[in-house]
Amino acid sequence: MTDFIRHARRPCHRAVVRRNFILVMLLSAAGFVSSPGHADPGDFAAMPGLWKVVKTPVDHGHRGKPVIEWHCVNEGDDPWATFARFSLPALAPCQIGEQHRSSTALAWAVNCSGNPPLHGRGHVDFESAEHYTAGIVLQDRGEILQVEGQRRAACTGPSD
């Protein structure tokens, strides 16, 4: 009689398999529905097309004359080469280091050789897939460059 009671308390194999299958399916569904903890840098949220970029130099808090540039961004272009390349002609050569990337932002360290050498940070922040703001801040000089990019149209050819 005790054998029958012990055997009756154990769930049948089919019920265990069914319960485990349901648990695995629920966990899988939760993984697909939940947002990831870290954005996949491969999913950079910028639309391809023709971009108008306004670069404004800043010298000790005073904005200089804006320079407008146009460039075509193709799908799959490297965001570092497309959105984070800013020339700083008034400074000695600068190197980019400590790069960080998410689906909507780029950030990096800036190290400029010279006497004295300068260090700072650069950033690009996308408010949408068609608009971003960017800038560079250097130690002891503050903000030296403001950038705004706006996607204007699709590119019409390889020479755009």
Side-chain angles (χ1 to χ4, degrees), residues 4 6 13 40 76 84 88 140:
F4 175 73
R6 232 180 305 158
H13 177 69
D40 180 7
L88 306 172
D140 301 329

mmCIF file with all atom_site columns, all heavy atoms in Angstrom, residues 4 6 13 40 76 84 88 140:
data_model
loop_
_atom_site.group_PDB
_atom_site.id
_atom_site.type_symbol
_atom_site.label_atom_id
_atom_site.label_alt_id
_atom_site.label_comp_id
_atom_site.label_asym_id
_atom_site.label_entity_id
_atom_site.label_seq_id
_atom_site.pdbx_PDB_ins_code
_atom_site.Cartn_x
_atom_site.Cartn_y
_atom_site.Cartn_z
_atom_site.occupancy
_atom_site.B_iso_or_equiv
_atom_site.pdbx_formal_charge
_atom_site.auth_seq_id
_atom_site.auth_comp_id
_atom_site.auth_asym_id
_atom_site.auth_atom_id
_atom_site.pdbx_PDB_model_num
ATOM 1  N N   . PHE A 1 4   ? 2.070  2.170  -3.475  1.00 0.00 ? 4   PHE A N   1
ATOM 2  C CA  . PHE A 1 4   ? 1.058  2.812  -4.288  1.00 0.00 ? 4   PHE A CA  1
ATOM 3  C C   . PHE A 1 4   ? 0.973  4.311  -3.960  1.00 0.00 ? 4   PHE A C   1
ATOM 4  O O   . PHE A 1 4   ? 0.900  5.145  -4.840  1.00 0.00 ? 4   PHE A O   1
ATOM 5  C CB  . PHE A 1 4   ? -0.313 2.146  -4.069  1.00 0.00 ? 4   PHE A CB  1
ATOM 6  C CG  . PHE A 1 4   ? -1.410 2.857  -4.816  1.00 0.00 ? 4   PHE A CG  1
ATOM 7  C CD1 . PHE A 1 4   ? -1.504 2.750  -6.191  1.00 0.00 ? 4   PHE A CD1 1
ATOM 8  C CD2 . PHE A 1 4   ? -2.311 3.666  -4.151  1.00 0.00 ? 4   PHE A CD2 1
ATOM 9  C CE1 . PHE A 1 4   ? -2.499 3.412  -6.874  1.00 0.00 ? 4   PHE A CE1 1
ATOM 10 C CE2 . PHE A 1 4   ? -3.305 4.318  -4.831  1.00 0.00 ? 4   PHE A CE2 1
ATOM 11 C CZ  . PHE A 1 4   ? -3.401 4.198  -6.200  1.00 0.00 ? 4   PHE A CZ  1
ATOM 12 N N   . ARG A 1 6   ? 3.403  6.267  -2.576  1.00 0.00 ? 6   ARG A N   1
ATOM 13 C CA  . ARG A 1 6   ? 4.614  6.918  -3.029  1.00 0.00 ? 6   ARG A CA  1
ATOM 14 C C   . ARG A 1 6   ? 4.574  7.119  -4.544  1.00 0.00 ? 6   ARG A C   1
ATOM 15 O O   . ARG A 1 6   ? 4.922  8.164  -5.052  1.00 0.00 ? 6   ARG A O   1
ATOM 16 C CB  . ARG A 1 6   ? 5.833  6.054  -2.666  1.00 0.00 ? 6   ARG A CB  1
ATOM 17 C CG  . ARG A 1 6   ? 6.869  6.854  -1.923  1.00 0.00 ? 6   ARG A CG  1
ATOM 18 C CD  . ARG A 1 6   ? 8.049  6.049  -1.552  1.00 0.00 ? 6   ARG A CD  1
ATOM 19 N NE  . ARG A 1 6   ? 7.632  4.878  -0.801  1.00 0.00 ? 6   ARG A NE  1
ATOM 20 C CZ  . ARG A 1 6   ? 8.318  3.766  -0.666  1.00 0.00 ? 6   ARG A CZ  1
ATOM 21 N NH1 . ARG A 1 6   ? 9.494  3.664  -1.226  1.00 0.00 ? 6   ARG A NH1 1
ATOM 22 N NH2 . ARG A 1 6   ? 7.885  2.758  0.019   1.00 0.00 ? 6   ARG A NH2 1
ATOM 23 N N   . HIS A 1 13  ? 5.713  11.304 -16.102 1.00 0.00 ? 13  HIS A N   1
ATOM 24 C CA  . HIS A 1 13  ? 6.777  11.823 -16.954 1.00 0.00 ? 13  HIS A CA  1
ATOM 25 C C   . HIS A 1 13  ? 6.220  12.823 -17.969 1.00 0.00 ? 13  HIS A C   1
ATOM 26 O O   . HIS A 1 13  ? 6.817  13.863 -18.226 1.00 0.00 ? 13  HIS A O   1
ATOM 27 C CB  . HIS A 1 13  ? 7.478  10.655 -17.658 1.00 0.00 ? 13  HIS A CB  1
ATOM 28 C CG  . HIS A 1 13  ? 8.538  11.102 -18.615 1.00 0.00 ? 13  HIS A CG  1
ATOM 29 N ND1 . HIS A 1 13  ? 9.706  11.674 -18.194 1.00 0.00 ? 13  HIS A ND1 1
ATOM 30 C CD2 . HIS A 1 13  ? 8.583  11.086 -19.972 1.00 0.00 ? 13  HIS A CD2 1
ATOM 31 C CE1 . HIS A 1 13  ? 10.442 11.976 -19.238 1.00 0.00 ? 13  HIS A CE1 1
ATOM 32 N NE2 . HIS A 1 13  ? 9.774  11.625 -20.337 1.00 0.00 ? 13  HIS A NE2 1
ATOM 33 N N   . ASP A 1 40  ? 22.555 47.160 -28.762 1.00 0.00 ? 40  ASP A N   1
ATOM 34 C CA  . ASP A 1 40  ? 23.450 46.510 -29.698 1.00 0.00 ? 40  ASP A CA  1
ATOM 35 C C   . ASP A 1 40  ? 24.084 47.575 -30.583 1.00 0.00 ? 40  ASP A C   1
ATOM 36 O O   . ASP A 1 40  ? 23.389 48.253 -31.339 1.00 0.00 ? 40  ASP A O   1
ATOM 37 C CB  . ASP A 1 40  ? 22.675 45.505 -30.544 1.00 0.00 ? 40  ASP A CB  1
ATOM 38 C CG  . ASP A 1 40  ? 23.549 44.791 -31.553 1.00 0.00 ? 40  ASP A CG  1
ATOM 39 O OD1 . ASP A 1 40  ? 24.786 44.977 -31.523 1.00 0.00 ? 40  ASP A OD1 1
ATOM 40 O OD2 . ASP A 1 40  ? 23.003 44.036 -32.370 1.00 0.00 ? 40  ASP A OD2 1
ATOM 41 N N   . GLY A 1 76  ? 24.791 50.959 -43.556 1.00 0.00 ? 76  GLY A N   1
ATOM 42 C CA  . GLY A 1 76  ? 25.921 50.121 -43.196 1.00 0.00 ? 76  GLY A CA  1
ATOM 43 C C   . GLY A 1 76  ? 27.229 50.881 -43.034 1.00 0.00 ? 76  GLY A C   1
ATOM 44 O O   . GLY A 1 76  ? 28.237 50.287 -42.677 1.00 0.00 ? 76  GLY A O   1
ATOM 45 N N   . ALA A 1 84  ? 31.445 60.980 -36.433 1.00 0.00 ? 84  ALA A N   1
ATOM 46 C CA  . ALA A 1 84  ? 32.340 61.421 -35.354 1.00 0.00 ? 84  ALA A CA  1
ATOM 47 C C   . ALA A 1 84  ? 33.695 61.904 -35.849 1.00 0.00 ? 84  ALA A C   1
ATOM 48 O O   . ALA A 1 84  ? 34.644 61.942 -35.087 1.00 0.00 ? 84  ALA A O   1
ATOM 49 C CB  . ALA A 1 84  ? 32.534 60.281 -34.349 1.00 0.00 ? 84  ALA A CB  1
ATOM 50 N N   . LEU A 1 88  ? 39.816 69.693 -36.244 1.00 0.00 ? 88  LEU A N   1
ATOM 51 C CA  . LEU A 1 88  ? 40.041 70.801 -35.325 1.00 0.00 ? 88  LEU A CA  1
ATOM 52 C C   . LEU A 1 88  ? 41.276 71.550 -35.799 1.00 0.00 ? 88  LEU A C   1
ATOM 53 O O   . LEU A 1 88  ? 42.374 71.372 -35.282 1.00 0.00 ? 88  LEU A O   1
ATOM 54 C CB  . LEU A 1 88  ? 40.222 70.275 -33.897 1.00 0.00 ? 88  LEU A CB  1
ATOM 55 C CG  . LEU A 1 88  ? 39.098 69.377 -33.383 1.00 0.00 ? 88  LEU A CG  1
ATOM 56 C CD1 . LEU A 1 88  ? 39.466 68.755 -32.047 1.00 0.00 ? 88  LEU A CD1 1
ATOM 57 C CD2 . LEU A 1 88  ? 37.811 70.165 -33.268 1.00 0.00 ? 88  LEU A CD2 1
ATOM 58 N N   . ASP A 1 140 ? 40.329 73.039 -19.713 1.00 0.00 ? 140 ASP A N   1
ATOM 59 C CA  . ASP A 1 140 ? 40.783 74.426 -19.644 1.00 0.00 ? 140 ASP A CA  1
ATOM 60 C C   . ASP A 1 140 ? 40.300 75.306 -20.797 1.00 0.00 ? 140 ASP A C   1
ATOM 61 O O   . ASP A 1 140 ? 40.612 76.483 -20.835 1.00 0.00 ? 140 ASP A O   1
ATOM 62 C CB  . ASP A 1 140 ? 42.321 74.518 -19.571 1.00 0.00 ? 140 ASP A CB  1
ATOM 63 C CG  . ASP A 1 140 ? 42.882 73.792 -18.361 1.00 0.00 ? 140 ASP A CG  1
ATOM 64 O OD1 . ASP A 1 140 ? 42.193 73.742 -17.320 1.00 0.00 ? 140 ASP A OD1 1
ATOM 65 O OD2 . ASP A 1 140 ? 44.002 73.266 -18.461 1.00 0.00 ? 140 ASP A OD2 1
#
